[in-house]
Amino acid sequence: STVAGAGTGDSHSPAVSGAGLFVAFVSTAPGLVAHSLLPPCTPECLGQVYLYGRADQSLRLVSRASGAPDAPALAADAGASQPALGYSDGEVVFVSRSSNLLPTRSDGGGTADDGDIVRVVPATGEVQRVSVLADGVTPAPAVNSHPQVSAIGRVVVFDTLAGGVFADLL
């Protein structure tokens, strides 16, 4: 858990866990989580996804590169948006076009709100792409948005403009 610092910026897009104990949200405030390595504000800061724990009043940067949860967090270099939670803080999904979160890049396209669907497990710092093709590895085009997570996290659904690449699955 990280201590919240001072910051100014807009916060929006709250998502509440099914149990009501966690809130994920997007903020452009640069000083919310101490020791986070955010991209420079040029002049505006990019939105990042954060997770607030109501019970212990913890605040964690979720849109971050993979790494130990207690290590300084390297934030998504192109920002992140559209957070979604299941029942708890077991996982958070969001949309991002960042190049530093995953080892491979997706083909671009779509609108400014589209990107990869990224899954983060805050307790372990694990980061993975959810928007992949049927082989489970190849990135789908980064034209995805509006992720939702089932209560226990087994199912993630999202909108996509890449329906043609999934045609053989239907």
Side-chain angles (χ1 to χ4, degrees):
S1 298
T2 309
V3 177
T8 58
D10 293 329
S11 294
H12 56 88
S13 304
V16 180
S17 67
L21 297 175
F22 297 93
V23 178
F25 63 94
V26 176
S27 181
T28 59
L32 290 181
V33 176
H35 309 294
S36 293
L37 306 169
L38 300 172
C41 300
T42 55
E44 295 182 21
C45 299
L46 296 172
Q48 299 290 339
V49 174
Y50 294 89
L51 183 66
Y52 175 71
R54 292 183 51 223
D56 62 1
Q57 297 184 3
S58 62
L59 185 63
R60 298 178 270 186
L61 174 65
V62 176
S63 54
R64 56 173 284 172
S66 184
D70 56 351
L74 177 60
D77 61 7
S81 64
Q82 305 174 45
L85 291 164
Y87 186 75
S88 69
D89 70 333
E91 64 184 2
V92 181
V93 296
F94 56 87
V95 177
S96 183
R97 287 184 178 256
S98 296
S99 64
N100 66 332
L101 299 181
L102 304 159
T104 57
R105 299 280 319 251
S106 297
D107 292 334
T111 70
D113 292 337
D114 296 332
D116 287 312
I117 305 298
V118 180
R119 173 185 170 265
V120 173
V121 179
T124 64
E126 173 191 358
V127 178
Q128 80 178 124
R129 179 183 285 115
V130 173
S131 50
V132 294
L133 298 183
D135 63 8
V137 177
T138 306
V143 292
N144 312 294
S145 61
H146 307 105
Q148 295 294 318
V149 182
S150 66
I152 59 172
R154 287 186 151 177
V155 177
V156 176
V157 297
F158 52 90
D159 294 339
T160 185
L161 296 173
V165 299
F166 300 108
D168 293 338
L169 301 175
L170 301 175

